[in-house]
Short mmCIF file of all heavy atoms in Angstrom, two decimals:
data_model
loop_
_atom_site.label_atom_id
_atom_site.label_comp_id
_atom_site.label_asym_id
_atom_site.label_seq_id
_atom_site.Cartn_x
_atom_site.Cartn_y
_atom_site.Cartn_z
N TRP A 1 -2.58 20.18 20.34
CA TRP A 1 -3.01 19.94 21.69
C TRP A 1 -3.15 18.48 22.05
O TRP A 1 -3.17 17.65 21.05
CB TRP A 1 -4.44 20.63 21.88
CG TRP A 1 -4.36 22.12 21.84
CD1 TRP A 1 -4.83 22.90 20.80
CD2 TRP A 1 -3.82 23.00 22.79
NE1 TRP A 1 -4.55 24.20 21.05
CE2 TRP A 1 -3.92 24.28 22.31
CE3 TRP A 1 -3.22 22.80 24.03
CZ2 TRP A 1 -3.52 25.43 23.02
CZ3 TRP A 1 -2.74 23.94 24.73
CH2 TRP A 1 -2.93 25.26 24.19
N PRO A 2 -3.22 18.14 23.24
CA PRO A 2 -3.28 16.68 23.59
C PRO A 2 -4.40 15.94 22.99
O PRO A 2 -4.33 14.79 22.74
CB PRO A 2 -3.38 16.73 25.13
CG PRO A 2 -2.71 17.98 25.49
CD PRO A 2 -3.08 18.94 24.45
N TRP A 3 -5.55 16.67 22.73
CA TRP A 3 -6.73 15.96 22.17
C TRP A 3 -6.67 15.91 20.62
O TRP A 3 -7.59 15.48 20.01
CB TRP A 3 -7.95 16.65 22.63
CG TRP A 3 -8.06 18.11 22.31
CD1 TRP A 3 -8.41 18.73 21.17
CD2 TRP A 3 -7.66 19.16 23.20
NE1 TRP A 3 -8.29 20.08 21.32
CE2 TRP A 3 -7.77 20.36 22.51
CE3 TRP A 3 -7.12 19.14 24.55
CZ2 TRP A 3 -7.48 21.59 23.14
CZ3 TRP A 3 -6.80 20.38 25.06
CH2 TRP A 3 -7.02 21.64 24.38
N GLU A 4 -5.58 16.43 20.07
CA GLU A 4 -5.42 16.43 18.64
C GLU A 4 -4.44 15.32 18.18
O GLU A 4 -3.53 15.00 18.95
CB GLU A 4 -4.98 17.79 18.15
CG GLU A 4 -5.99 18.90 18.35
CD GLU A 4 -5.46 20.25 17.88
OE1 GLU A 4 -4.22 20.44 17.90
OE2 GLU A 4 -6.29 21.14 17.54
N ARG A 5 -4.62 14.89 16.92
CA ARG A 5 -3.80 13.83 16.42
C ARG A 5 -3.36 14.16 15.07
O ARG A 5 -4.10 14.77 14.28
CB ARG A 5 -4.48 12.44 16.42
CG ARG A 5 -3.62 11.26 15.98
CD ARG A 5 -4.34 9.96 16.04
NE ARG A 5 -3.57 8.85 15.54
CZ ARG A 5 -4.02 7.64 15.42
NH1 ARG A 5 -5.26 7.36 15.80
NH2 ARG A 5 -3.23 6.67 14.91
N ILE A 6 -2.11 13.82 14.67
CA ILE A 6 -1.59 14.12 13.37
C ILE A 6 -1.39 12.86 12.53
O ILE A 6 -0.76 11.90 12.98
CB ILE A 6 -0.17 14.83 13.44
CG1 ILE A 6 -0.34 16.12 14.34
CG2 ILE A 6 0.36 15.18 12.13
CD1 ILE A 6 -1.30 17.14 13.78
N TYR A 7 -1.88 12.87 11.30
CA TYR A 7 -1.77 11.79 10.37
C TYR A 7 -0.87 12.22 9.25
O TYR A 7 -1.17 13.20 8.56
CB TYR A 7 -3.10 11.34 9.84
CG TYR A 7 -4.07 10.69 10.83
CD1 TYR A 7 -4.87 11.49 11.64
CD2 TYR A 7 -4.14 9.35 10.89
CE1 TYR A 7 -5.71 10.94 12.58
CE2 TYR A 7 -4.98 8.76 11.83
CZ TYR A 7 -5.77 9.57 12.67
OH TYR A 7 -6.61 8.98 13.56
N LYS A 8 0.27 11.57 9.09
CA LYS A 8 1.25 11.93 8.07
C LYS A 8 1.21 10.83 6.95
O LYS A 8 1.09 9.68 7.27
CB LYS A 8 2.68 12.06 8.63
CG LYS A 8 2.82 13.15 9.69
CD LYS A 8 4.26 13.18 10.13
CE LYS A 8 4.49 14.20 11.26
NZ LYS A 8 5.89 14.26 11.69
N VAL A 9 1.33 11.33 5.72
CA VAL A 9 1.43 10.37 4.55
C VAL A 9 2.52 10.85 3.73
O VAL A 9 2.82 12.08 3.60
CB VAL A 9 0.09 10.23 3.81
CG1 VAL A 9 -0.97 9.69 4.67
CG2 VAL A 9 -0.31 11.63 3.26
N SER A 10 3.21 9.96 2.98
CA SER A 10 4.19 10.27 2.02
C SER A 10 3.52 10.45 0.62
O SER A 10 2.80 9.64 0.17
CB SER A 10 5.22 9.18 1.91
OG SER A 10 6.14 9.39 0.82
N VAL A 11 3.90 11.62 -0.01
CA VAL A 11 3.32 11.86 -1.32
C VAL A 11 4.36 11.61 -2.45
O VAL A 11 4.15 11.98 -3.59
CB VAL A 11 2.84 13.32 -1.42
CG1 VAL A 11 1.66 13.55 -0.50
CG2 VAL A 11 3.95 14.32 -1.11
N ALA A 12 5.41 10.90 -2.10
CA ALA A 12 6.43 10.57 -3.13
C ALA A 12 5.95 9.48 -4.07
O ALA A 12 5.05 8.64 -3.64
CB ALA A 12 7.69 10.08 -2.40
N THR A 13 6.31 9.53 -5.29
CA THR A 13 5.85 8.49 -6.27
C THR A 13 6.53 7.17 -6.01
O THR A 13 7.71 7.06 -5.79
CB THR A 13 6.22 9.00 -7.72
OG1 THR A 13 5.60 10.27 -7.98
CG2 THR A 13 5.76 8.00 -8.75
N GLU A 14 5.67 6.13 -6.04
CA GLU A 14 6.16 4.78 -5.78
C GLU A 14 5.83 3.91 -6.99
O GLU A 14 4.90 4.17 -7.77
CB GLU A 14 5.45 4.19 -4.52
CG GLU A 14 5.80 4.98 -3.24
CD GLU A 14 5.27 4.30 -2.02
OE1 GLU A 14 5.08 3.06 -1.99
OE2 GLU A 14 5.06 5.04 -0.98
N THR A 15 6.54 2.79 -7.10
CA THR A 15 6.44 1.89 -8.25
C THR A 15 6.05 0.52 -7.63
O THR A 15 6.59 0.10 -6.64
CB THR A 15 7.72 1.81 -8.99
OG1 THR A 15 8.01 3.07 -9.49
CG2 THR A 15 7.49 0.89 -10.26
N MET A 16 5.09 -0.16 -8.41
CA MET A 16 4.72 -1.50 -7.92
C MET A 16 4.42 -2.34 -9.18
O MET A 16 3.88 -1.79 -10.22
CB MET A 16 3.43 -1.39 -7.07
CG MET A 16 2.92 -2.80 -6.54
SD MET A 16 1.31 -2.61 -5.72
CE MET A 16 1.84 -1.50 -4.38
N ALA A 17 4.71 -3.59 -9.14
CA ALA A 17 4.40 -4.55 -10.21
C ALA A 17 2.87 -4.67 -10.29
O ALA A 17 2.24 -4.82 -9.28
CB ALA A 17 5.06 -5.92 -9.97
N MET A 18 2.36 -4.57 -11.52
CA MET A 18 0.90 -4.65 -11.67
C MET A 18 0.34 -6.01 -11.32
O MET A 18 -0.87 -6.11 -11.07
CB MET A 18 0.53 -4.29 -13.09
CG MET A 18 1.06 -5.20 -14.13
SD MET A 18 0.39 -4.79 -15.80
CE MET A 18 0.97 -3.11 -16.00
N ALA A 19 1.21 -7.04 -11.31
CA ALA A 19 0.67 -8.35 -10.91
C ALA A 19 0.69 -8.62 -9.39
O ALA A 19 0.29 -9.69 -8.97
CB ALA A 19 1.45 -9.43 -11.63
N ARG A 20 1.23 -7.69 -8.62
CA ARG A 20 1.33 -7.87 -7.19
C ARG A 20 -0.04 -7.76 -6.53
O ARG A 20 -0.75 -6.85 -6.76
CB ARG A 20 2.25 -6.82 -6.57
CG ARG A 20 2.49 -7.01 -5.07
CD ARG A 20 3.36 -5.89 -4.51
NE ARG A 20 3.58 -6.05 -3.16
CZ ARG A 20 4.29 -5.15 -2.41
NH1 ARG A 20 4.87 -4.16 -3.00
NH2 ARG A 20 4.35 -5.26 -1.08
N ASP A 21 -0.34 -8.75 -5.69
CA ASP A 21 -1.56 -8.77 -4.88
C ASP A 21 -1.15 -8.51 -3.42
O ASP A 21 -0.51 -9.36 -2.81
CB ASP A 21 -2.30 -10.08 -5.02
CG ASP A 21 -3.70 -10.07 -4.43
OD1 ASP A 21 -3.89 -9.33 -3.44
OD2 ASP A 21 -4.60 -10.75 -5.02
N LEU A 22 -1.59 -7.37 -2.85
CA LEU A 22 -1.15 -7.03 -1.50
C LEU A 22 -1.87 -7.91 -0.42
O LEU A 22 -1.39 -8.02 0.68
CB LEU A 22 -1.53 -5.59 -1.22
CG LEU A 22 -0.82 -4.55 -2.11
CD1 LEU A 22 -1.28 -3.14 -1.77
CD2 LEU A 22 0.67 -4.66 -1.90
N GLU A 23 -2.94 -8.55 -0.80
CA GLU A 23 -3.64 -9.43 0.20
C GLU A 23 -3.21 -10.81 0.08
O GLU A 23 -3.31 -11.56 1.06
CB GLU A 23 -5.19 -9.33 -0.06
CG GLU A 23 -5.77 -7.92 0.19
CD GLU A 23 -7.19 -7.87 0.01
OE1 GLU A 23 -7.68 -8.35 -1.04
OE2 GLU A 23 -7.94 -7.39 0.93
N ASP A 24 -2.76 -11.31 -1.09
CA ASP A 24 -2.28 -12.66 -1.27
C ASP A 24 -1.04 -12.60 -2.09
O ASP A 24 -1.04 -12.56 -3.38
CB ASP A 24 -3.38 -13.50 -1.96
CG ASP A 24 -2.98 -14.96 -2.10
OD1 ASP A 24 -1.93 -15.32 -1.53
OD2 ASP A 24 -3.74 -15.70 -2.72
N PRO A 25 0.13 -12.64 -1.51
CA PRO A 25 1.39 -12.59 -2.22
C PRO A 25 1.65 -13.71 -3.20
O PRO A 25 2.41 -13.55 -4.13
CB PRO A 25 2.46 -12.62 -1.09
CG PRO A 25 1.77 -12.16 0.12
CD PRO A 25 0.37 -12.62 0.02
N THR A 26 0.95 -14.84 -3.06
CA THR A 26 1.15 -15.99 -3.94
C THR A 26 0.28 -15.91 -5.16
O THR A 26 0.44 -16.69 -6.11
CB THR A 26 0.81 -17.30 -3.15
OG1 THR A 26 -0.55 -17.30 -2.77
CG2 THR A 26 1.72 -17.42 -1.96
N ALA A 27 -0.67 -14.97 -5.22
CA ALA A 27 -1.52 -14.83 -6.35
C ALA A 27 -0.80 -14.28 -7.59
O ALA A 27 0.34 -13.66 -7.42
CB ALA A 27 -2.70 -13.94 -6.00
N ASN A 28 -1.31 -14.50 -8.79
CA ASN A 28 -0.73 -14.02 -10.01
C ASN A 28 0.72 -14.46 -10.17
O ASN A 28 1.59 -13.72 -10.43
CB ASN A 28 -0.80 -12.52 -10.09
CG ASN A 28 -2.20 -11.96 -10.00
OD1 ASN A 28 -3.13 -12.56 -10.48
ND2 ASN A 28 -2.34 -10.83 -9.37
N ARG A 29 0.87 -15.82 -9.91
CA ARG A 29 2.19 -16.47 -10.07
C ARG A 29 3.17 -15.74 -9.18
O ARG A 29 4.28 -15.32 -9.67
CB ARG A 29 2.63 -16.48 -11.53
CG ARG A 29 1.58 -17.03 -12.50
CD ARG A 29 2.09 -16.95 -13.89
NE ARG A 29 0.99 -17.24 -14.86
CZ ARG A 29 1.11 -17.26 -16.16
NH1 ARG A 29 2.29 -17.11 -16.70
NH2 ARG A 29 0.05 -17.48 -16.93
N ASN A 30 2.85 -15.64 -7.95
CA ASN A 30 3.72 -14.98 -6.95
C ASN A 30 4.00 -13.50 -7.29
O ASN A 30 5.09 -12.99 -7.03
CB ASN A 30 5.04 -15.73 -6.75
CG ASN A 30 4.80 -17.10 -6.16
OD1 ASN A 30 3.96 -17.29 -5.29
ND2 ASN A 30 5.58 -18.06 -6.64
N GLY A 31 2.99 -12.86 -7.90
CA GLY A 31 3.11 -11.45 -8.22
C GLY A 31 3.96 -11.12 -9.36
O GLY A 31 4.39 -9.95 -9.53
N LYS A 32 4.22 -12.09 -10.29
CA LYS A 32 5.07 -11.86 -11.36
C LYS A 32 4.37 -11.63 -12.73
O LYS A 32 4.83 -10.97 -13.58
CB LYS A 32 6.09 -13.03 -11.57
CG LYS A 32 7.03 -13.22 -10.43
CD LYS A 32 7.94 -14.40 -10.63
CE LYS A 32 8.96 -14.58 -9.51
NZ LYS A 32 9.85 -15.72 -9.70
N MET A 33 3.15 -12.24 -12.84
CA MET A 33 2.44 -12.17 -14.12
C MET A 33 0.91 -12.11 -13.89
O MET A 33 0.42 -12.91 -13.04
CB MET A 33 2.79 -13.30 -15.03
CG MET A 33 2.16 -13.25 -16.39
SD MET A 33 2.88 -14.50 -17.57
CE MET A 33 4.61 -13.96 -17.67
N LEU A 34 0.26 -11.24 -14.58
CA LEU A 34 -1.14 -11.12 -14.41
C LEU A 34 -1.85 -11.75 -15.58
O LEU A 34 -1.48 -11.52 -16.76
CB LEU A 34 -1.55 -9.62 -14.37
CG LEU A 34 -2.99 -9.24 -14.14
CD1 LEU A 34 -3.49 -9.68 -12.76
CD2 LEU A 34 -3.20 -7.70 -14.37
N ASP A 35 -2.82 -12.58 -15.35
CA ASP A 35 -3.59 -13.28 -16.38
C ASP A 35 -4.71 -12.43 -16.88
O ASP A 35 -5.40 -11.78 -16.10
CB ASP A 35 -4.10 -14.64 -15.93
CG ASP A 35 -2.97 -15.62 -15.63
OD1 ASP A 35 -1.92 -15.55 -16.32
OD2 ASP A 35 -3.15 -16.45 -14.70
N ALA A 36 -4.94 -12.54 -18.17
CA ALA A 36 -6.06 -11.80 -18.87
C ALA A 36 -6.48 -12.55 -20.06
O ALA A 36 -5.69 -13.33 -20.70
CB ALA A 36 -5.61 -10.41 -19.22
#
């Protein structure tokens, strides 16, 4: 109905580098290496 809204999400498996920072792309050596 017009007062209803549909939210769709993808449930496919995705891959991401563990050093990637979604808020700051330059962090962790530009997302290449994570320090510990």
Side-chain angles (χ1 to χ4, degrees):
W1 295 106
W3 56 86
E4 294 177 334
R5 182 178 177 184
I6 303 301
Y7 293 84
K8 298 181 182 180
V9 296
S10 173
V11 294
T13 300
E14 298 187 26
T15 303
M16 180 186 301
M18 64 175 57
R20 181 181 176 185
D21 191 326
L22 297 177
E23 296 181 311
D24 184 5
T26 62
N28 301 326
R29 308 180 194 180
N30 295 321
K32 296 181 179 179
M33 185 170 294
L34 182 67
D35 292 328

